[in-house]
Amino acid sequence: MDVPLALPFATLVVVLLLSSGPIAAEVDATAVLGEAVLTLDAGNFSEVVAKHEFIVVEFYAPWCGHCKELAPEYEKAASMLRKRDPPVVLAKVDAYDESNKELKDKYKVHGYPAIKIIRKGGSDVSAYGGPRDAEGIVEYLTRQVGPASLEIRSAVDASRSIGDKGVVLVGVFPEFAGIQYENFMAVANKMRTDYDFFHTSDASILPRGDLTVKGPLLRLFKPFDELFVDSQDFDDDAIKKFIEVSGFPTVVTFDADPTNHKFIERYYSTPSAKAMLFLRFSDDRVETFKSQMHEAARQLSGNNISFLIGDVSTADRAFEYGNLTPYVKSEPIPKVNDQPVKVVVADNIDEIVFNSGKNVLLEFYAPWCGHCRKLAPILEEVAVSLQDDEDVVIAKMDGTANDIPTDFAVEGYPALYFYSSSGGDLLTYDGQRTAKELISFIKKNRGAKAAAVEVTQTDAVEEEVTSSTPSGSIQDEL
């Protein structure tokens, strides 16, 4: 699958550190005067984090536009949260500062800004998945320091708690006691930063699904795929697996929605092959393509392939985010390539054709193609005739065994293209397939010799310096 590259998406990483008890006064003493957000760096980070059971830190870059947008909201939230009892401390780290690089690497900061939650003095770290406005940050963090699961007592509670954003877990129990309830609450406490947990004794007030269920039952609501899934296995590990599998989209969407961040991070961290589709979300056909992508993901669900879809404008950032390179089908690069007609494969086409600084005639062929077999000795003759010209390369590539770059509009075999040593556009050869005509075409369209170009450029620079700079006044300047 050809993957277009282009993608403006800023990754958020903020480390949330919440304080409790008497530590708050000490933290305030070290904060920048007039700022509610505590400033941390490599020198004080470990010491401050170790003193907090729960603390919040933003990793930012001074030049980042999204960081600048977040700053006033983050500061406002910090001012509100430090008045709680116990106070909640928000901090920040300049992750772009080279002296803080170890912190950036330790907390896996791939973009800016970024929110994570650190508990128990630094031993428990998780990503922040909440809103980026002050009120949303306060509400999200207040939930994080409150009960891991909240009781739903009415249909109004249910509609307010279970929306169309994010994954929500609801445990249905006849009574809030027993091993199933205890296991549910234990898992809720461990996974609360990524998911919202609720419990109820009345399934009839929940949206969707069988309203006659009495429990114990675990219902997972999600804004994608089949919208809700039930499980009655309350073993600790079974609950976790159920949430991780059922709460993960069949196809992840790469966008700026904070609720998708945990899915994006998991997509890249999972050891699997990556299938990525980028298209214009404004296109009228987008829903059709999304449907086809989901169907492909379902059919290949047992092949350890992770699927992601995004707007074409986000493609570059998606690859940078995961340090990925697109899969390219290629034959092995030949260890010996000393025949008159050079062998090109997908993995060395840039080196031989575009970056060699030479005049290259390249044939795309298919082993089964009769016209290609007829052309082979003619190409050999051309290569032998020009073998003493170091600035000319005659090459061939099996188009059936290698992915052909989109620069070449190959619609059939053989297909001949020429790239000049002076750069410029690719030229398609449509002339007669004779040695004489091919050689004439190459000589007519070839660029200047590399050595000659270099000398000319050097002379021009020397002439410019001589004519514009008084003798003896040339200075080195950094």
Side-chain angles (χ1 to χ4, degrees):
M1 165 170 34
D2 290 329
V3 181
L5 300 177
L7 169 139
F9 165 74
T11 309
L12 168 74
V13 181
V14 179
V15 179
L16 308 177
L17 310 171
L18 306 182
S19 88
S20 61
I23 301 299
E26 182 179 340
V27 170
D28 286 344
T30 61
V32 177
L33 187 62
E35 289 187 356
V37 176
L38 178 65
T39 300
L40 302 180
D41 56 30
N44 64 359
F45 189 94
S46 297
E47 179 183 358
V48 173
V49 169
K51 294 176 180 178
H52 290 76
E53 189 67 17
F54 195 106
I55 179 172
V56 187
V57 181
E58 174 202 6
F59 289 96
Y60 72 95
W63 47 262
C64 168
H66 292 281
C67 302
K68 293 175 182 177
E69 290 179 6
L70 175 64
E73 298 297 319
Y74 195 62
E75 176 70 21
K76 183 179 177 182
S79 180
M80 297 166 66
L81 286 167
R82 70 177 179 176
K83 297 174 183 177
R84 289 186 76 260
D85 184 21
V88 174
V89 176
L90 271 63
K92 62 182 179 182
V93 173
D94 182 352
Y96 194 66
D97 189 324
E98 189 63 27
S99 64
N100 295 324
K101 186 178 185 303
E102 287 190 15
L103 289 175
K104 174 185 174 183
D105 294 341
K106 178 179 179 180
Y107 289 96
K108 300 178 180 178
V109 178
H110 301 297
Y112 307 105
I115 302 179
K116 294 190 185 281
I117 297 180
I118 302 179
R119 305 174 192 266
K120 302 176 182 178
S123 62
D124 184 355
V125 181
S126 54
Y128 172 88
R132 299 188 193 182
D133 63 284
E135 289 73 18
I137 293 172
V138 170
E139 181 181 355
Y140 181 88
L141 294 181
T142 300
R143 283 283 312 276
Q144 295 304 310
V145 293
S149 176
L150 300 177
E151 183 180 358
I152 295 177
R153 300 179 179 179
S154 66
V156 174
D157 284 349
S159 62
R160 184 171 57 242
S161 303
I162 305 167
D164 58 357
K165 291 281 188 180
V167 175
V168 176
L169 284 302
V170 179
V172 180
F173 303 96
E175 58 179 348
F176 301 145
I179 188 64
Q180 291 97 337
Y181 176 74
E182 291 173 2
N183 284 352
F184 170 79
M185 293 301 289
V187 172
N189 193 55
K190 292 177 183 177
M191 304 182 74
R192 62 190 298 176
T193 55
D194 288 331
Y195 306 96
D196 290 333
F197 288 84
F198 299 91
H199 54 277
T200 185
S201 58
D202 184 2
S204 67
I205 62 178
L206 301 179
R208 302 189 291 271
D210 185 357
L211 305 183
T212 63
V213 171
K214 299 299 182 183
L217 174 90
L218 179 59
R219 177 162 292 169
L220 182 148
F221 295 93
K222 51 186 176 179
F224 47 79
D225 300 339
E226 63 269 64
L227 300 183
F228 78 92
V229 187
D230 290 344
S231 173
Q232 292 181 301
D233 191 341
F234 280 87
D235 176 77
D236 190 286
D237 291 335
I239 296 175
K240 292 178 187 175
K241 185 173 182 179
F242 168 68
I243 295 172
E244 290 174 352
V245 174
S246 300
F248 189 76
T250 303
V251 178
V252 174
T253 299
F254 192 98
D255 59 16
D257 187 342
T259 60
N260 280 329
H261 290 170
K262 58 179 174 288
F263 302 136
I264 294 170
E265 289 186 1
R266 181 174 160 189
Y267 173 86
Y268 285 110
S269 63
T270 300
S272 63
K274 310 298 182 194
M276 310 171 82
L277 172 64
F278 296 94
L279 62 161
R280 298 190 187 283
F281 281 176
S282 58
D283 193 294
D284 293 339
R285 300 165 295 173
V286 66
E287 292 304 323
T288 299
F289 281 111
K290 285 184 177 181
S291 177
Q292 292 174 349
M293 188 72 163
H294 277 79
E295 181 59 30
R298 281 190 286 269
Q299 290 185 17
L300 298 172
S301 60
N303 291 272
N304 194 32
I305 302 174
S306 299
F307 290 80
L308 178 144
I309 192 169
D311 189 88
V312 69
S313 64
T314 63
D316 277 346
R317 186 60 73 102
F319 279 90
E320 292 171 4
Y321 186 97
N323 294 318
L324 298 177
T325 54
Y327 169 75
V328 176
K329 182 176 70 173
S330 176
E331 293 180 292
I333 296 176
K335 294 182 179 179
V336 179
N337 203 2
D338 57 2
Q339 295 301 306
V341 178
K342 307 305 178 187
V343 175
V344 172
V345 298
D347 285 344
N348 70 355
I349 191 169
D350 284 342
E351 176 187 348
I352 293 179
V353 177
F354 297 110
N355 300 329
S356 66
K358 299 187 178 184
N359 301 284
V360 183
L361 181 71
L362 175 64
E363 176 208 14
F364 292 98
Y365 72 94
W368 43 260
C369 168
H371 292 290
C372 302
R373 288 195 288 268
K374 290 180 181 178
L375 180 61
I378 297 172
L379 274 188
E380 184 85 11
E381 182 181 348
V382 173
V384 171
S385 298
L386 299 174
Q387 64 184 350
D388 293 332
D389 190 336
E390 296 182 354
D391 291 320
V392 174
V393 173
I394 310 300
K396 61 181 181 180
M397 176 170 155
D398 183 349
T400 67
N402 298 274
D403 280 344
I404 300 173
T406 54
D407 308 79
F408 303 91
V410 176
E411 297 180 352
Y413 302 108
L416 290 163
Y417 287 85
F418 181 79
Y419 190 70
S420 167
S421 63
S422 58
D425 296 332
L426 274 171
L427 300 180
T428 304
Y429 180 77
D430 294 322
Q432 296 181 21
R433 295 171 188 167
T434 65
K436 180 180 178 180
E437 290 298 322
L438 285 166
I439 292 172
S440 175
F441 176 82
I442 292 170
K443 289 182 177 180
K444 178 181 177 181
N445 294 285
R446 65 177 298 161
K449 290 186 177 181
V453 172
E454 184 177 343
V455 170
T456 302
Q457 290 177 340
T458 303
D459 289 345
V461 171
E462 288 179 353
E463 182 180 346
E464 182 179 344
V465 170
T466 303
S467 62
S468 62
T469 307
S471 178
S473 65
I474 300 177
Q475 298 179 359
D476 251 340
E477 208 171 281
L478 293 178

